[in-house]
Amino acid sequence: MARTIGSITHRSRSSLIAKKTLCLIFALAAFSIIYNARELIHLERGYNFTNYYSDESLFNAPWIDLQTSNDPVSQHEQTIVVIDQDGAVEAAKIVDDETSSKSTEHPHVYKWEDLTQRFQEGHGTFFFGPHSHQIKIPNDHQYEPSLTKEQRALLDDEDIDPGKEKERCANYNFPYDGRTQRRRLFLGTLLADESMDVLKAVGLEMYNIFHTVSFIESNVTHHLTPRQMRFYDSEKPSPNLYQIYQYFGPKTKVSVDYYSNHMKGGYDLLRDFIQREGNNFRWAFNGMQIDDVAIVGDTDETFTRDFLRALQICDIPQFKLGQDCRSPKIRASTGVFESTPECYTKNRRWYHPDAVLGECVDQIGNETMHPPTHRDWPKEVKNGTRYFGWRLPQWGRGDDYREYIKENQWFKDKYGKLPYPLYFATDIRMESGQTIRKKDGSPTGFHFHNFFRSNQEIHHKYLTYGHAWNQANDLPLWELHKDIALGVDCAKDKYVNGIKFPEIESSSLPIYFQDPAKRKERHTQWQQIVRDEEAWWEAKSNASKSSEAQKVIERNVTTVLKTADIPKVQDQSITSIAPWDSSKSAVLGMASGYPFNIYEQFVGSLRATGYSGHIILGVKKDVSLEIMRYFEEQNVTTHVVEPALKCTYNGTKDNKGNILDMQKSREWNCPQKYPDYKITWGEDWLADCPSCTDGVMLTDVRDAFFQSDPFLAAVQLKQQAPLMLFEEHPYLRNTHWLTNIPISSCRKYRVGDTRVLCSGSVMGSREGVLDYISEEFDHWKTRSECRLDMRGDDQSIHNYLYYTNRFKNAITIPHRTGPIHVVGYQAARIEEQMRNGGMSNETDGWNTWLPDKYGLIDYNKTGYVLNIDGCASPQVHQIDRFGKLLGRWRHKMIHEDQWKYSKHELFCTKEGSQKLPNLSHKIPMKEDIIIDFDEVRKFSNDPLAKVKSFTREQYEGYMMAPAGKEHYTLLSYLSHKFGDCRHVTDIGTQFVSSALAMASNLRTPVWTFDLPSSKERVSAFRGKTEDQWQQELQQVGANITFYKADIMKASDEDFKKYLDTWFVMLDTHHPPYSVPFEREFFSRVLNSGYKGLMLLDGVDEHDEVRRWWKEVQNGSVAGGYKAYLFTPIGHSSGTGFVDFSGKLKVKDGSRTVQPHNPVDSL
């Protein structure tokens, strides 16, 4: 837990002595202040400054660590050591140390580096300035809130009247125990680009209530975009800082402290989490004690004033001293104002701010009794390193303490009870707690969302903060996010999902906007912002005439659109979201009324993959005790769902045309709270899960199981996106009546001959899925004729909205290539074939439940259903279409093996097989593969462009050269068209360029071999270490493993392992007769019985290799292989291709390419 502060080096020993003398004077002064001032840290309450320093004596010195000139940095400069997430260390120069001794011109003019109160960590440095009670505000910067008589009356609430306090507490279902002294409240939040009006509104709600209000401002956004500081000016007093000091009342100590980020890695919100730790430090400086209350929110969030007074006086269970700190938190039920006070969001609640007792707050509570936990930064932790960021899964995140309890079992043995860690400010915001509403249903908090001063500020927010989106400047506000679209509607006096301020039915209203003049001022400003956006967007559209704008225009003016083209999967680079953490992800499904074995199938298979995130299911009220116990064991969150007495859209019919009784039908009914449409529950369930911050899956439950973690799979496959839609079998098209009839009837539109996207399983980010739910439901329900008398019309909506470009940032995942495998069409065809033909003997074994000819399962091994590349499909959906075929295997997985073959990561079932790749969707699968010269010539070199920077610089041009000149396009083509999850083997690493071409599909691992003495690959690293090069390559998604070994000296067992795959690349660099290798290697391959494909590069480079290639060709009959000349699409120095399988077909357009015939050469 040691803290290291900036180090200072000096030119001379005399300078060091002078500095130490000065520091001694400062030390005495600092000791006097700290000892006597109540507001500084009190050691007697259990706070120990050794939390910050390895030497407690530093507590009595200025907070700058003086080092000798032996420091390994240049002298005469203050240096902060920076450690990025990957462990690289560098020095960041801050300021010449002589400047730190200069006096400031004004108590409020200072440089960060002059602030002696600072905490430096590996991720950055906190600088702590003065608070509002330590400076005098000049007369020309004085602020006095302009209040109406009614507002002044609402602020006059300081006196304690026991009768009124009892009534107040009862409004929140709290008792009142006669308390006569209010608890002290300490607020922590972050500063960014919020408008001063928001700060005034929040400040007035809190006016003169808080002891401390702590702001932290950073020099970068969450997305690492540099930002101009708004509340700091090193040249003159900051007017904004003067103002914010006064917004919260003269009794409140307001501080703005600063965070200088040095971290290069990490996901966007990690910077938010770490920056908030500065709040804990400021609370400690200002004397927070264990019976005080810490409150954390964003700058635009606040508890209602009445609820703040309740927090100070009521008998609240979470605020009783003697906490074990497992559940010390309460949070608001927050009403949301979108962009203007005249736009209160209907039927929606937010769930911040959050409050925790000081006894359970880091830097305040007793760390001895609450040992620290593990957190998500840095990734690699050495002994003595402090942990930062959010709690790790099973270390306290989401109330899961399994690993934390294991590590601290000694504590229970010693004290007889389990410990729980103290709360960082991030934990206060992110961990679960009790949501408090007012008894009459009114909110206990307010969220002033998107109250910015210009349209460009809003675009900037979505471009750089939180879950940053790199297309935020490419869409107008009303398409950027559904929340802003609501605000735009309100600006135009369209109140569908919004409510005007005077019409809000609530006993809780924000004090600041109870002044009609203030409401009018902001609403007028917002209307002008919308007009500016319309003018800006029109000008931008006219100027660019972009294809996307043209699509929008055509969509708006055309009533009957042409049949859509088959969509292409969008480039995954459109998503700028950080890799998902499964522990922060969520799987949601409606699971009402199912038998126990369905839950064992769904939940049990998911947990067996190692998935530790949220599982949220809707269940019936009368679910059995056995099932509820199972849910508790498996950490499943449930929501009770009752059927509606009447659905909004009636008339649903069964397959025979009979109208269904919605209450009795097992085929389909609508939930009581969601009578309109089946997936709208997802929005509420996510709102109740603040820690569900990363990936989200909406899925059917009854007909699905899991074989690996779907969120990890999305990351590994580079497929994660704000919205991921999954194609069904390519033979199933949208000309099918299920989608064609509803869409043509409702929207006068024909989706046409396009691939069907399954509506039963959808993935995406939290924001992306929320947008999907809103868009899918809202866009369809506006027309009554769009609800037909049939089940499954959600499939129609789903496909219509995608093929008319109404989903933002959506990608489609081709069938059998992603985290969800929709198996239904193929399963039904197979079941029909086997049923009509009689059940085959091949199904006798549990792991041979489908014949191998279908290529759909891990035959005779695990029996798992496979993606087309040979990896086990993470989720298998529509399994009921297999009928009875699946029964024996499914029973064994659930009741005997407990899905023991499932793994946390994707696992390749084909590894170790020389069988040729088979990526066909045919039933049964075809037996051979075809290489087409014409396809190779036309193949894009875009994949090579993504990896070319990882070879030596001089080779980049070679890698991008066309097929026939260089062989890299051919290798990339083979990788993309046929590469599965198995490794491919590269003999002869050299500058790694061939290996990179084979790895360019970002799916296939490449094993590349070179002699231990070879150093050629080092030039490909371009000055980086091999580890650094590998880390950067992995970020791109390529997978290359170096083997420094003489493969000819490998044992037969190892040699077989290296070549147990479908493809080997041999770079014939040596003269095969005078420098023996190629001939001997080829002979050993032949003798090993290899049955795959092999490419030989350079077979026409010189006389010796030409002679050997002729030897290979003429030996083809005796060797049982076929030899092809691929020079027209390979390397100009000659490219040979050998088929050991006998199942390769080669063509050039319509012409068949024949292998070499030894007879012809006689």
Side-chain angles (χ1 to χ4, degrees), residues 806-907:
R806 296 181 187 274
F807 288 140
K808 292 179 293 187
N809 232 4
I811 66 170
T812 59
I813 309 297
H815 182 62
R816 286 187 73 189
T817 65
I820 296 174
H821 176 183
V822 186
V823 75
Y825 180 88
Q826 192 169 14
R829 304 291 86 71
I830 293 173
E831 192 276 336
E832 182 181 16
Q833 285 183 10
M834 295 185 67
R835 176 167 37 84
N836 293 338
M839 302 298 288
S840 169
N841 291 334
E842 292 180 274
T843 63
D844 289 345
W846 66 269
N847 55 3
T848 59
W849 60 275
L850 279 186
D852 193 29
K853 66 181 181 180
Y854 293 116
L856 198 60
I857 68 169
D858 185 21
Y859 187 79
N860 209 26
K861 293 180 182 178
T862 65
Y864 272 33
V865 178
L866 304 181
N867 270 1
I868 205 163
D869 66 356
C871 285
S873 307
Q875 189 206 51
V876 187
H877 183 210
Q878 296 182 357
I879 59 171
D880 57 331
R881 315 296 172 83
F882 283 118
K884 296 179 180 180
L885 295 176
L886 189 66
R888 183 183 300 182
W889 179 86
R890 177 176 173 272
H891 182 275
K892 184 174 177 60
M893 291 300 109
I894 295 175
H895 300 293
E896 298 177 28
D897 289 352
Q898 285 77 49
W899 309 91
K900 68 181 181 181
Y901 306 104
S902 296
K903 298 182 180 179
H904 186 50
E905 299 186 358
L906 292 171
F907 62 100

Side-chain angles (χ1 to χ4, degrees), residues 32 67 119 169 254 294 308 316 489 636 759 787 797 803 809 927 1040 1069 1122 1138 1142 1157:
S32 175
Q67 303 282 328
F119 290 145
C169 295
V254 180
L308 287 170
I316 301 173
D489 284 344
V636 176
S759 63
R787 294 296 294 210
I797 305 170
Y803 287 113
N809 232 4
E927 293 296 321
I1040 295 176
H1069 179 65
K1122 296 178 181 178
V1138 182
N1157 188 342

Side-chain angles (χ1 to χ4, degrees), residues 141 149 185 277 346 382 466 725 731 737 794 802-803 885 931-932 937 1121:
H141 286 282
K149 180 180 179 181
L185 305 183
E277 192 173 348
K346 187 188 298 184
K382 298 179 181 178
L725 310 178
Y731 291 3
W737 63 269
D794 55 308
Y802 175 76
Y803 287 113
L885 295 176
I931 296 176
D932 188 338
R937 295 187 189 98
Y1121 57 81

Side-chain angles (χ1 to χ4, degrees), residues 594-604 626-627 630 702 890 894-895 899:
Y594 295 144
F596 186 32
N597 67 340
I598 293 296
Y599 301 120
E600 289 181 299
Q601 169 188 287
F602 186 86
V603 175
E626 178 189 30
I627 292 174
Y630 180 73
R702 177 187 56 82
R890 177 176 173 272
I894 295 175
H895 300 293
W899 309 91

